[in-house]
């Protein structure tokens, strides 16, 4: 099993570090790491450090850095626009998309979204997405944390502008004729991928995205749930772009 990864605000400049706070508690109390065991530290911005545990405290670890590394941000950048879903489906989508390598997730207030993020409720919901992405990135040992956009969500007009400025924009749609498996992909810039909510993408939204340069694409004959469509599409892109 690979060494567990823990996120820190900044990697140490010296050879020793006290890992405390929530990450230290998780390492010492939940995962019960012991002296001599190895772990990884990451700042979520590409920087990493391998370390070994030298002492265990109450909710903290003392570690010694054994090596350092840096991973460049992958290109092209993969951005998913996720229609807000009811219940925990949105969080399931965020978790899975993070694990397969999404670089940014944009919560989209689609017209057919059953759940609407308004006021404090929306702020809390977005914070859950941020926390979910963080934990999924740790699980996947990712050196880069995905960005969760929105304040707390984004409108259709904002999404259309994002598509217009991207190197490529794709809209998952069950009636599309073009397949994502054969669509032309850019080698740099951003690829924006739009995933509708449970009720699908409204005709007016589809028109707005098409006018901005978004191309409707499909994955196959099956109609996927909003919580699985994004991860399936990202898997296709990851394979085609050589990330996998």
């Amino acid at each position: 099993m690979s060494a567990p990864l823990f996120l820190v605000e900044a990697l140490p400049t010296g050879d020793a570090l006290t890992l405390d706070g929530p990450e230290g508690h998780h390492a010492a109390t939940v995962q019960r790491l012991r002296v001599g065991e190895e772990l990884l530290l990451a700042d979520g911005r590409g920087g990493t450090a391998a370390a070994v545990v030298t002492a265990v405290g109450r909710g903290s670890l003392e570690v010694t850095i054994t090596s350092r590394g840096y991973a460049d941000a992958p290109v092209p950048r993969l951005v998913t626009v996720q229609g807000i879903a009811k219940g925990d489906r949105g969080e399931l989508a965020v978790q899975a998309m993070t694990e397969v390598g999404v670089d940014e997730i944009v919560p989209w207030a689609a017209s057919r979204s059953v759940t609407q993020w308004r006021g404090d409720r929306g702020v809390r919901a977005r914070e859950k997405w941020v926390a979910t992405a963080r934990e999924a990135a740790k699980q996947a040992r990712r050196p880069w944390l995905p960005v969760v956009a929105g304040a707390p969500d984004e409108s259709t007009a904002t999404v259309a502008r994002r598509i217009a400025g991207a190197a490529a924009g794709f809209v998952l749609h069950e009636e599309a004729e073009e397949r994502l498996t054969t669509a032309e992909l850019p080698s740099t810039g951003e690829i924006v991928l739009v995933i509708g909510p449970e009720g699908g993408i409204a005709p007016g939204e589809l028109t707005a995205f098409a006018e901005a340069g978004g191309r409707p694409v499909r994955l196959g004959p099956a109609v996927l749930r909003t919580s699985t469509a994004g991860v399936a599409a990202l898997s296709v892109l990851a394979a085609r772009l050589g990330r996998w």
Side-chain angles (χ1 to χ4, degrees):
M1 180 179 291
S2 60
L5 183 144
F6 299 93
L7 289 166
V8 293
E9 287 297 321
L11 294 171
T13 56
D15 294 332
L17 172 74
T18 300
L19 184 64
D20 52 14
E23 294 291 81
H25 170 78
H26 188 77
T29 307
V30 179
Q31 295 205 358
R32 301 178 66 84
L33 295 183
R34 295 295 178 255
V35 173
E37 292 192 89
E38 297 179 344
L39 56 87
L40 291 173
L41 301 173
D43 59 11
R45 299 178 297 278
T48 59
V52 62
V53 180
T54 56
V56 180
R58 187 173 183 179
S60 66
L61 298 177
E62 300 294 331
V63 304
T64 296
I65 306 301
T66 56
S67 65
R68 300 175 186 273
Y70 179 80
D72 291 328
V75 290
R77 197 164 180 268
L78 299 179
V79 179
T80 56
V81 176
Q82 175 66 52
I84 295 172
K86 64 181 179 181
D88 63 353
R89 290 180 183 175
E91 291 166 42
L92 290 173
V94 169
Q95 179 184 40
M97 291 190 297
T98 299
E99 290 178 2
V100 299
V102 71
D103 298 304
E104 183 174 352
I105 302 168
V106 180
W108 170 37
S111 63
R112 292 179 176 174
S113 289
V114 175
T115 299
Q116 298 292 321
W117 287 4
R118 295 292 182 266
D120 291 342
R121 176 183 181 181
V123 172
R124 291 194 298 271
R126 180 187 175 280
E127 288 174 349
K128 285 185 178 180
W129 281 28
V130 172
T132 299
R134 179 184 176 89
E135 292 306 310
K138 289 169 56 179
Q139 172 65 35
R141 276 63 161 178
R142 288 189 55 180
W144 283 88
L145 273 179
V147 175
V148 178
D153 53 21
E154 300 287 7
S155 67
T156 297
T158 302
V159 172
R161 288 193 294 270
R162 188 68 181 267
I163 292 172
F170 299 108
V171 183
L172 294 184
H173 197 273
E174 61 189 80
E175 296 179 0
E177 295 183 0
E178 185 177 15
R179 292 179 180 268
L180 185 61
T181 51
T182 57
E184 184 177 354
L185 302 179
S187 58
T188 60
E190 283 189 350
I191 297 176
V192 175
L193 182 71
V194 180
I195 304 106
E198 294 97 328
I201 298 174
E205 294 167 335
L206 190 61
T207 298
F209 297 152
E211 290 176 347
R215 292 151 55 189
V217 294
R218 64 184 304 164
L219 292 169
V223 178
L224 304 182
R225 288 182 179 271
T226 187
S227 56
T228 55
V231 67
L234 285 168
S235 298
V236 170
L237 294 175
R240 293 193 59 198
L241 293 169
R243 289 195 180 194
W244 286 7

